[in-house]
Amino acid sequence: MSSLNKNVPANMKLKIAFILMWVNLFAVAQVNLSSLKVNHLMSPEGLTEKKPTFSWIITSNERNTMQEAYEIQVFKGDKLIWNSGRVKSDNSLTVSYGGDSLLSATRYFWQVRVWDNHSHCTNWSTKASWLTGLFSVDEWKKASWIEPQKQSEASPLFRKQFSVAKPIASAVLYITSHGMYEASINGNKVGKSHFTPGWTSYEKRLQYQTYDVTGMLNKGSNALGVMLGRGWYLGRIGYKVVPKVYSAEKVGALAIMIVSYLDGSKEIITTDKTWKTSTGEVVFSELYDGETVDARLQQKGWNTPVFDDSKWEAVQVKEYPFDNLVSSESEPVVTHELKSPIAVITTPKGEKVLDFGQNMSGREILTYKGTRGQVITTSHAEVLDEKGNFYTANLRSAKAQGRYVCSGEPDRFEARFTFYGFRYLKVEGIDGNLNPDDFKVAVVFSDMEQTGTFNSSNNLVNQLQSNIQWGLYSNFVDIPSDCPQRDERLGWTGDAQAFFRTATFNRDVQNFFRKWLKDLAADQSPDGKVSHITPIIPGLVGKGNTFWSDASTIIPWQHYMAYGDKQILENQYSSMKKWVDYMVSQSKDYLWTTGSHHGDWLFYSVNNDNLGVSAVTYKPLIQQCFFANSLDILSKSAAVLGKSEDAEHYAEMTTKVKSAFCNAYLTPGGYLVSATQTAFALALNFEMLPEAQRPVVAAHLADNVRQYGHITTGFVGTPFICHVLSEWGYTDLAYKLLLRKEYPGWLYPITMGATTMWERWNAMLPDHTIPSNGMNSFNHYAYGSIGDWLYRDAVGLHETSAGFKTMMIKPHPGGEFTQMSVTELTPYGLASAAWRKDNDAFSMDVSIPVNTTATIFIPVASTDQRILLDNTKLSDVKGIQVEGFGEGYIKVKVGSGTYRFVVPEIKNQPNK
């Protein structure tokens, strides 16, 4: 610029400076919109909400930015059908559509712009869209359920040929099935989903999917094909034989395709008696037992218009009710990645085994040219035994095998209607050495957006985080299951609620659980009891169990706090209230002691326990804690929903239930009838105790942890123990539990080579022997609940109001870590927090999303410690509100933006 300045006249310099000032201002104050969602989904297809909600994320590189107003426009085609006008509001999460009634089977577009508190107005966002589903049951009555003439183990094929004579404006397919379906048009698969229509409480809620197939149709002849598998509907489900669950005795399909032409006319193609059926290469398929594919039986081109189906049979038309049909509202199961083997192993027994390096949910893809009729069998295992041999005893009755019969030509084999939980693949039927290039694994789980990351200076803890994530991936295959490998894979409610907040950090699970909770409510008994598993398998498990049934209250409330949409409370309130009222009905003098309960499932215990060190927690004590917690949640939920009478009634009852707890289970000296870590943690976490007794009980908990030197909690106590220790000033003990490398402890499985969370603390012994019991999964996520402590306490990123509208960052450094960091995609945008110890300095880097505020807690030993923000003394920075010192922290309130706080000299920073 110096050379330019020499030759530019003074008046031109002034103009250039003025222009540069405005360019600079625009660059500094740039505000953008992204992540436009309808009902929290990106461009969803099949919505049946008459008043869908809109949300968006705002980004700005200017600090302290808040939305002050928004304007939304909705279009049908090019026609504007609703304009909200400029609405003064900071709501960017749940803005409801306010226009005229929407139409079935119609695509709508929308855009938004916002004004912020710095007098900026964004440009209109890029348009997003949604496609409506079928609003009326009557619309389905144009179609008929079709089934094969005979039920067999082979997967039936259905096909329908039709013609398109005019230019198409749009074509939309609505489809569901009894069993699982895979649809195709002109030889190409429709969508990317697996295991559709998903697993729900089918008699009450059978999902259908919506696909925009406009680009898949050709002018002239077309073919619509459907292949079916038994799936959850007709397949073997559960670890014991149960009576027939659902009404249909055969797999079947139901579909409507609406073709709209440019001239304004429509044509509707449905499943009816004109369809044809046969079978193909999938000759057997069961979720637990695997799939058999005979490539010699493949009917090539069966789903294309040139195929000759003259030898196919007519379908059988059946009548079933349509009133259980609901549109799919959660993300489908998809393939996320393909994994290659990391090693080829010959075991001591001579087994040929491929190691894929990661325990996971998926299915192998085999590309191979064998001799005609050659049979290749694959078996799946999570671990090798102590001798290095293939181990499948923990699968129990699940065969978990693929069986592939070669055609003599190059074949590609991949199961369609099953998946496996495994790391190791045993291959039989191939002579000589295995070629690892012939094998891949498709990793499958629900298509939830990744939302969180965690990193630390401890590599074992980083592997723990990886194990937590892979436990989620493996068990979030359409429902939150307990395990992906054995003859179970069920939606255990206790496991799900224990892990829920950890899940919300790692993936966007709001629609995943919105769907599952509706099934939980549908399965609930009239008297209010909640099943131990959802979807329910009648005759397999019971109902009304504390902790497990409390998923009906805990998950909706935590969902609301994580995502900020009170509709989840509106949806579930009746179910929540029924469960709480059931507990009330079973109590006497506000004490609930009746019923059969699992207790602190898989707590620390020893054989021949002469010394009494097994950590047995009195079950009625556990019941009372969760009784009070669900009452409290119901009261708070009622307040959010404006149900003031309910809020007051259940708040009063909460107080009485806590008082009954103290009378029954608390001694004057601050001991509980069960002096276990679980008992102490529950009593403190749910605030069951008088305030004066809480520090006494916390000290007893700390003494218990010191006495054992390790964790003793099971599924019930594990999610809470480290939170409670940190809350009461014992973060050093929380880190001691976290970092233990011996049994029992979180890092012990990692030292044994685990790549997912284990069901049991001792699923494998130090000598690599595997306890011979009937329940031992190497891929359970319940103990992964420690992730929530890592994210919300150790690093300290924690919401303080629903949806992270306000948040705090309060780190608890310790455990000889030199750094920890998290990022979390909150409903308002990306938040991050990191702390680092560097020689004698301590620093914190935080990022707060637009339209939110945060309170930052900076750990210091005293008020006179020097703190820098952006290399400036904190007290000299404008726009920063210092709220004081307490409990070892300087508290600072900030708006959106990025901040770097530095404490140049560490002076005995506190645990709390």
Side-chain angles (χ1 to χ4, degrees):
M1 288 296 296
S2 57
S3 59
L4 176 66
N5 285 337
K6 293 178 182 177
N7 302 310
V8 177
N11 63 336
M12 183 59 69
K13 289 180 184 179
L14 187 61
K15 289 181 180 179
I16 291 173
F18 185 75
I19 291 169
L20 288 174
M21 179 189 73
W22 280 104
V23 168
N24 226 6
L25 182 62
F26 179 78
V28 168
Q30 190 172 12
V31 184
N32 294 305
L33 299 174
S34 64
S35 194
L36 272 67
K37 295 183 178 181
V38 184
N39 283 16
H40 311 294
L41 291 165
M42 298 286 285
S43 302
E45 296 183 339
L47 289 191
T48 53
E49 291 275 352
K50 300 294 181 67
K51 299 288 182 182
T53 58
F54 304 109
S55 62
W56 55 89
I57 286 176
I58 311 165
T59 56
S60 172
N61 52 6
E62 188 170 5
R63 280 180 177 171
N64 301 310
T65 299
M66 297 288 288
Q67 175 183 296
E68 286 202 338
Y70 67 81
E71 182 178 9
I72 295 174
Q73 292 181 337
V74 175
F75 301 83
K76 180 177 176 290
D78 294 328
K79 181 182 178 182
L80 177 66
I81 63 168
W82 180 59
N83 190 327
S84 68
R86 188 180 190 274
V87 178
K88 187 173 178 60
S89 170
D90 65 352
N91 182 10
S92 61
L93 295 189
T94 56
V95 178
S96 294
Y97 171 72
D100 294 337
S101 296
L102 301 173
L103 302 176
S104 277
T106 303
R107 184 171 292 280
Y108 293 92
F109 298 87
W110 71 287
Q111 60 185 7
V112 62
R113 60 177 175 174
V114 304
W115 290 261
D116 70 12
N117 57 326
H118 301 302
S119 301
H120 304 133
C121 177
T122 68
N123 295 323
W124 283 106
S125 67
T126 301
K127 285 183 181 178
S129 73
W130 80 98
L131 179 62
T132 57
L134 300 178
F135 288 169
S136 169
V137 170
D138 290 339
E139 295 180 80
W140 278 106
K141 293 180 180 178
K142 300 180 180 75
S144 300
W145 280 97
I146 58 172
E147 296 178 348
Q149 294 287 348
K150 297 178 182 179
Q151 178 70 13
S152 72
E153 290 187 335
S155 289
L157 309 175
F158 301 109
R159 61 173 268 116
K160 167 73 174 181
Q161 197 152 326
F162 61 96
S163 293
V164 172
K166 297 182 290 186
I168 296 174
S170 68
V172 181
L173 175 66
Y174 301 90
I175 183 170
T176 187
S177 64
H178 294 148
M180 294 176 179
Y181 74 82
E182 186 177 286
S184 55
I185 294 177
N186 298 332
N188 298 307
K189 182 178 175 179
V190 175
K192 60 180 183 177
S193 309
H194 307 308
F195 315 138
T196 46
W199 194 6
T200 53
S201 298
Y202 292 122
E203 298 293 270
K204 297 178 181 178
R205 287 174 28 83
L206 173 60
Q207 293 185 135
Y208 67 86
Q209 281 72 41
T210 302
Y211 304 98
D212 187 331
V213 295
T214 307
M216 301 184 74
L217 298 185
N218 302 320
K219 186 175 181 180
S221 188
N222 293 265
L224 173 57
V226 180
M227 178 187 287
L228 298 182
R230 293 170 63 82
W232 294 289
Y233 191 99
L234 285 172
R236 179 168 74 94
I237 298 294
Y239 42 80
K240 66 180 180 180
V241 177
V242 295
K244 181 175 176 292
V245 177
Y246 305 117
S247 57
E249 296 182 354
K250 298 179 185 176
V251 293
L254 179 72
I256 294 177
M257 185 161 63
I258 302 174
V259 182
S260 300
Y261 295 106
L262 289 176
D263 64 6
S265 63
K266 290 186 178 182
E267 184 176 358
I268 299 178
I269 298 155
T270 69
T271 44
D272 57 25
K273 64 182 181 181
T274 65
W275 284 58
K276 294 287 196 71
T277 184
S278 184
T279 57
E281 68 272 22
V282 179
V283 298
F284 174 84
S285 182
E286 283 277 359
L287 280 163
Y288 294 160
D289 295 331
E291 196 162 288
T292 300
V293 180
D294 189 339
R296 298 171 301 177
L297 302 179
Q298 183 181 15
Q299 300 200 49
K300 294 183 179 180
W302 69 272
N303 48 8
T304 65
V306 297
F307 182 77
D308 178 7
D309 61 10
S310 59
K311 295 183 180 179
W312 284 33
E313 294 183 327
V315 297
Q316 179 174 308
V317 174
K318 293 279 288 191
E319 291 187 8
Y320 296 102
F322 294 107
D323 56 4
N324 65 333
L325 294 178
V326 295
S327 181
S328 179
E329 59 184 330
S330 63
E331 295 85 352
V333 178
V334 300
T335 295
H336 287 263
E337 63 173 297
L338 297 180
K339 281 194 169 292
S340 299
I342 64 167
V344 181
I345 300 168
T346 300
T347 71
K349 287 185 177 180
E351 303 154 315
K352 298 175 184 178
V353 175
L354 297 166
D355 178 6
F356 286 89
Q358 175 64 56
N359 203 7
M360 58 194 155
S361 280
R363 63 267 190 104
E364 69 277 3
I365 301 171
L366 169 59
T367 306
Y368 185 74
K369 182 180 181 181
T371 60
R372 185 172 178 82
Q374 180 181 351
V375 179
I376 301 169
T377 302
T378 58
S379 302
H380 303 78
E382 298 184 286
V383 294
L384 303 178
D385 68 15
E386 70 276 11
K387 296 180 180 178
N389 292 315
F390 199 69
Y391 181 84
T392 58
N394 68 321
L395 304 187
R396 300 189 302 210
S397 68
K399 295 178 182 177
Q401 288 186 325
R403 192 168 179 268
Y404 308 117
V405 184
C406 299
S407 67
E409 301 295 326
D411 293 315
R412 182 186 184 277
F413 296 107
E414 179 182 3
R416 284 185 166 89
F417 302 118
T418 191
F419 62 95
Y420 311 97
F422 70 108
R423 169 177 173 170
Y424 298 96
L425 189 73
K426 182 173 73 173
V427 181
E428 299 171 279
I430 294 179
D431 294 331
N433 296 326
L434 298 180
N435 180 0
D437 293 337
D438 292 341
F439 295 86
K440 295 283 190 296
V441 168
V443 179
V444 300
F445 57 93
S446 291
D447 195 16
M448 306 160 292
E449 181 181 11
Q450 183 176 351
T451 50
T453 64
F454 168 86
N455 184 264
S456 77
S457 56
N458 187 308
N459 289 333
L460 289 178
V461 174
N462 293 340
Q463 182 62 48
L464 173 64
Q465 165 65 7
S466 175
N467 291 11
I468 290 169
Q469 290 179 317
W470 279 97
L472 184 158
Y473 305 158
S474 304
N475 285 290
F476 279 41
V477 180
D478 199 62
I479 68 161
S481 63
D482 59 327
C483 59
Q485 77 296 93
R486 67 187 181 214
D487 56 356
E488 198 161 353
R489 315 185 194 185
L490 302 171
W492 284 95
T493 50
D495 303 48
Q497 70 97 343
F499 187 70
F500 178 76
R501 276 318 303 258
T502 300
T504 65
F505 171 84
N506 285 287
R507 291 273 164 170
D508 182 355
V509 298
Q510 59 180 319
N511 293 292
F512 180 88
F513 274 95
R514 193 186 304 272
K515 169 246 188 186
W516 184 75
L517 285 168
K518 288 182 178 179
D519 290 302
L520 181 148
D523 288 336
Q524 194 169 8
S525 298
D527 64 0
K529 290 197 293 291
V530 175
S531 174
H532 305 170
I533 60 170
T534 292
I536 192 172
I537 308 295
L540 189 65
V541 296
K543 292 185 175 184
N545 191 303
T546 193
F547 181 80
W548 276 258
S549 296
D550 289 290
S552 62
T553 55
I554 292 171
I555 294 179
W557 179 255
Q558 291 184 346
H559 190 292
Y560 169 65
M561 292 303 295
Y563 296 115
D565 186 353
K566 69 179 182 180
Q567 187 184 55
I568 193 70
L569 301 178
E570 295 168 350
N571 291 348
Q572 300 301 131
Y573 187 79
S574 175
S575 169
M576 298 164 74
K577 189 173 185 294
K578 284 169 63 179
W579 167 239
V580 167
D581 287 345
Y582 169 77
M583 288 188 285
V584 171
S585 74
Q586 299 300 300
S587 65
K588 182 178 181 181
D589 297 328
Y590 303 102
L591 201 64
W592 182 30
T593 61
T594 60
S596 175
H597 302 271
H598 298 310
D600 191 21
W601 189 250
L602 298 182
F603 60 89
Y604 174 75
S605 63
V606 299
N607 295 326
N608 301 318
D609 190 15
N610 294 326
L611 297 178
V613 296
S614 294
V616 182
T617 306
Y618 187 47
K619 289 181 182 180
L621 182 151
I622 295 173
Q623 289 174 242
Q624 196 72 4
C625 289
F626 282 92
F627 183 15
N629 182 53
S630 284
L631 277 163
D632 182 51
I633 285 173
L634 187 61
S635 174
K636 293 186 292 189
S637 300
V640 170
L641 298 176
K643 300 176 183 290
S644 55
E645 289 186 10
D646 276 4
E648 184 177 347
H649 170 69
Y650 289 108
E652 291 175 357
M653 194 170 292
T654 303
T655 300
K656 293 175 180 177
V657 167
K658 290 182 177 181
S659 177
F661 173 91
C662 294
N663 291 335
Y665 306 127
L666 177 66
T667 72
Y671 284 97
L672 299 173
V673 294
S674 292
T676 64
Q677 293 173 16
T678 289
F680 293 136
L682 294 182
L684 290 165
N685 189 76
F686 296 144
E687 299 182 341
M688 303 297 292
L689 311 168
E691 286 192 24
Q693 289 280 33
R694 293 174 192 175
V696 178
V697 173
H700 291 328
L701 170 62
D703 287 342
N704 184 290
V705 171
R706 294 189 192 102
Q707 175 187 345
Y708 277 94
H710 60 73
I711 197 165
T712 66
T713 56
F715 280 25
V716 171
T718 297
F720 309 108
I721 184 168
C722 287
H723 289 294
V724 169
L725 287 170
S726 288
E727 181 182 0
W728 288 97
Y730 300 104
T731 292
D732 59 329
L733 294 179
Y735 276 107
K736 182 176 182 178
L737 295 182
L738 170 72
L739 295 175
R740 180 178 170 86
K741 298 176 185 177
E742 298 81 23
Y743 160 77
W746 279 288
L747 299 188
Y748 167 67
I750 294 169
T751 67
M752 300 296 291
T755 60
T756 45
M757 305 304 299
W758 289 354
E759 180 178 21
R760 296 174 173 271
W761 293 116
N762 61 342
M764 180 180 287
L765 303 181
D767 64 358
H768 288 268
T769 58
I770 301 167
S772 56
N773 57 64
M775 191 190 73
N776 195 2
S777 164
F778 293 90
N779 201 344
H780 256 63
Y781 52 61
Y783 287 142
S785 57
I786 184 60
D788 188 41
W789 177 81
L790 287 171
Y791 320 139
R792 295 206 288 168
D793 285 308
V795 182
L797 178 58
H798 199 298
E799 83 285 352
T800 53
S801 63
F804 289 81
K805 181 66 174 174
T806 61
M807 65 191 79
M808 72 176 182
I809 298 177
K810 187 177 185 180
H812 292 79
E816 299 184 358
F817 285 81
T818 59
Q819 67 88 13
M820 275 191 184
S821 63
V822 298
T823 64
E824 181 164 7
L825 183 59
T826 77
Y828 291 94
L830 189 67
S832 66
W835 59 261
R836 177 180 293 276
K837 291 181 179 179
D838 188 8
N839 296 323
D840 291 330
F842 179 86
S843 61
M844 290 175 60
D845 292 277
V846 300
S847 180
I848 309 303
V850 169
N851 213 20
T852 70
T853 59
T855 302
I856 314 297
F857 291 78
I858 307 165
V860 293
S862 63
T863 55
D864 62 355
Q865 277 193 263
R866 191 160 57 101
I867 300 174
L868 304 178
L869 170 58
D870 303 333
N871 294 318
T872 303
K873 188 176 178 181
L874 181 62
S875 57
D876 293 339
V877 179
K878 294 182 179 180
I880 301 298
Q881 182 179 345
V882 180
E883 296 191 338
F885 172 80
E887 298 182 332
Y889 292 93
I890 290 287
K891 188 163 65 169
V892 180
K893 189 169 184 179
V894 301
S896 66
T898 58
Y899 303 87
R900 179 172 176 78
F901 299 93
V902 176
V903 183
E905 184 179 358
I906 299 174
K907 295 182 180 179
N908 299 320
Q909 291 174 341
N911 285 325
K912 189 171 179 181

